[in-house]
Amino acid sequence: MGRKTPQELRSHRWYGVDDMRSFGHRSRTKQMGFAAEDYAGKPVIGILNTWSEVNPCHAHFRLRADEVKRGVWQAGGFPLEMPAMSLGEPIMKPTTMLYRNLLAMEAEELLRSNPVDGVVLLGGCDKTVPGLLMGAASMNLPAIFVPAGPMLRGNWHGTTLGSGSDTWKYWAERRAGNIDEKAWTEIEDGIARSFGTCMTMGTASTMAAASEALGMTLPGASSIPAADSGHARMATAAGRRIVEMVWEDLKPADLMTTRAFENSVRVAMSLGGSTNAIVHLIAMAGRAGAKLDLDRFDALSRSTPFLANIRPSGKYLMEDFFYAGGLRALMVRLRDLLHLDCNTVNGRSLGENIDGAEVYNEDVIVPRNRPLSPEGGVAVLRGNLCPNGAVIKPTAVEPHLLKHAGPAIVFKDYNDMAARIDNPNLPATKDSVLVLQSAGPLGGPGMPEWGQLPLPKKLLQQGVRDMVRISDARMSGTSYGACVLHVAPESFVGGPLALVREGDMIELDVAARRLTLRVDEAELGRRRRATTLQHLSAGGGRVRRQLLPADSARHAPGADGPDGAAADLAA
Ligand code: FES
């Protein structure tokens, strides 16, 4: 396809024609101080900015938006910044997951209703990555994603601290009586030292890397620390490039293909990435009309080695990963497993983009012949406790728990768990299996990140640091432990998890991908008949509408299927 002419720009309808409406658009643009020389005949570049003061991970986005604009001006475009919902993971309650699809709709409608020819998406904190990319995929205008970048390493008395992962770790030590209030406050002061996203391999780092592997960022963009001057230069380069993409008419549908999604899954799995990647990548693929389901995800994970030694599954942090060569270097190590011919936003193939990248520290990005694990970071389980699937992150589990059987301790909801977990009379041993019900998409509501249940205080004091835990919730990508998540169907709508009773034996076998409730079918049938379905209560309808994306999916060309594993798993 040839290059577009100015008359073929989408924004021409707003600015280029001689009628009364265009007069209004032009005069009102001049009201902001812009002259015809600024916009006439130029691609209009929307900059969707998720900056806000309730999102510390995006605190630098006011600056970055200006840097994107610099690039757009340099390349002969006309930048217009538009605020979009910020979804600050550390602040919002009950969970940002309730609003991911709302952001996707907002992004799509901002682009649809305004004179935008191409868009730069500024996101990073967990849900903003899939939210913005889903909206961009549905609208299918030329788009580049600028990831916020990870924050600097945390520091406490010379010990590095990782977002989330070390919060859980030191909180457990505090509950065990090993950390006093002074130390706890010092950790609070040192764990978040700059703007940027969690610098562990949490959901933000996972999804930024997955977006780069998908071809939606400039090469190398996802590994650059937020506070590095290279991050500002990357933002400016994105501004320059998006103008060219508009003239070339290079759109998400050309990039977000089934093969590109397979690259993004492989990369996420080789990083020991977040279990949330399943929920988000399947939703994004649905929007883009690409094929990706739980079984394909599991197959790709099983055949991808785990190579990135980053917390919570490993030792280092994102800053170390950047110095070790970053994602391009890691992808060189996966070269034979990737579809190298997939096109990317810079107009070059993934293979061309990783050419010449080197690993500078083999302790951070390990070689293929000595992987941290021969398999990737997520396993999909099946069994009578999760007929529609469940997930676990084997790379973050104490190895002795990968095959385990134990009696259930059952919490009927989060409040029940919070009230009883530290009760000295809780009949829990290190072999118990902690079960949390009513924490899924409808039960939570919003499938909150409650899946890393805290360990009972009395066991922490005995030195126990991991136990098998099972729920229909999600967990933060920064979390770790033998946590079985996303159990489906969820307990709130009568899934088998609702039928578990105190003392039932539960068996986990990750290698065999099995999760089994050792209770016979006749007894389960009796329990099922006695169980009242809570989702018929008044609140359920409201939550269902918020969570399930029927409204947003309607706009999506080719996205008729379930929009994301949350809906998929809840079905
Ligand atoms: Fe924003 Fe982790 S809290 S990326």
Side-chain angles (χ1 to χ4, degrees), residues 384 496 499 517 519-529:
N384 69 341
L499 307 180
L517 176 61
V519 175
D520 65 50
E521 259 313 308
E523 171 60 17
L524 288 179
R526 271 191 293 280
R527 292 181 190 177
R528 193 171 288 116
R529 284 189 292 280

Side-chain angles (χ1 to χ4, degrees), residues 55-58 87-90 124-126 151 163 196-199 203-205 478:
N55 191 342
C57 310
H58 295 182
L87 299 188
E89 198 71 28
C125 194
D126 299 15
M151 68 178 102
S163 311
T197 51
C198 295
M199 75 319 236
T203 303
S205 300
T478 65

Side-chain angles (χ1 to χ4, degrees), residues 282-345:
I282 290 178
M284 289 161 61
R287 285 302 184 95
K291 284 196 177 65
L292 183 63
D293 60 23
L294 276 179
D295 290 332
R296 185 66 186 141
F297 208 108
D298 190 54
L300 290 165
S301 181
R302 271 185 191 255
S303 55
T304 304
F306 168 38
L307 301 179
N309 194 4
I310 304 173
R311 287 177 226 179
S313 296
K315 175 176 166 191
Y316 295 98
L317 296 170
M318 284 302 291
E319 199 178 333
D320 306 298
F321 183 64
F322 177 60
Y323 302 145
L327 191 68
R328 289 176 61 243
L330 179 118
M331 286 197 280
V332 166
R333 300 231 147 141
L334 296 176
R335 197 179 256 283
D336 57 306
L337 298 176
L338 298 173
H339 303 298
L340 296 171
D341 57 333
C342 286
N343 199 4
T344 73
V345 287

Side-chain angles (χ1 to χ4, degrees), residues 236-281:
T236 305
R240 281 192 299 269
R241 175 60 196 155
I242 190 65
V243 177
E244 275 308 296
M245 282 177 72
V246 170
W247 293 126
E248 294 167 6
D249 203 24
L250 180 59
K251 300 190 293 289
D254 305 317
L255 308 176
M256 295 171 73
T257 61
T258 297
R259 285 153 57 81
F261 274 99
E262 295 197 343
N263 287 340
S264 66
V265 173
R266 289 241 188 243
V267 160
M269 295 302 92
S270 74
L271 292 167
S274 167
T275 47
N276 287 322
I278 287 195
V279 176
H280 298 321
L281 287 174

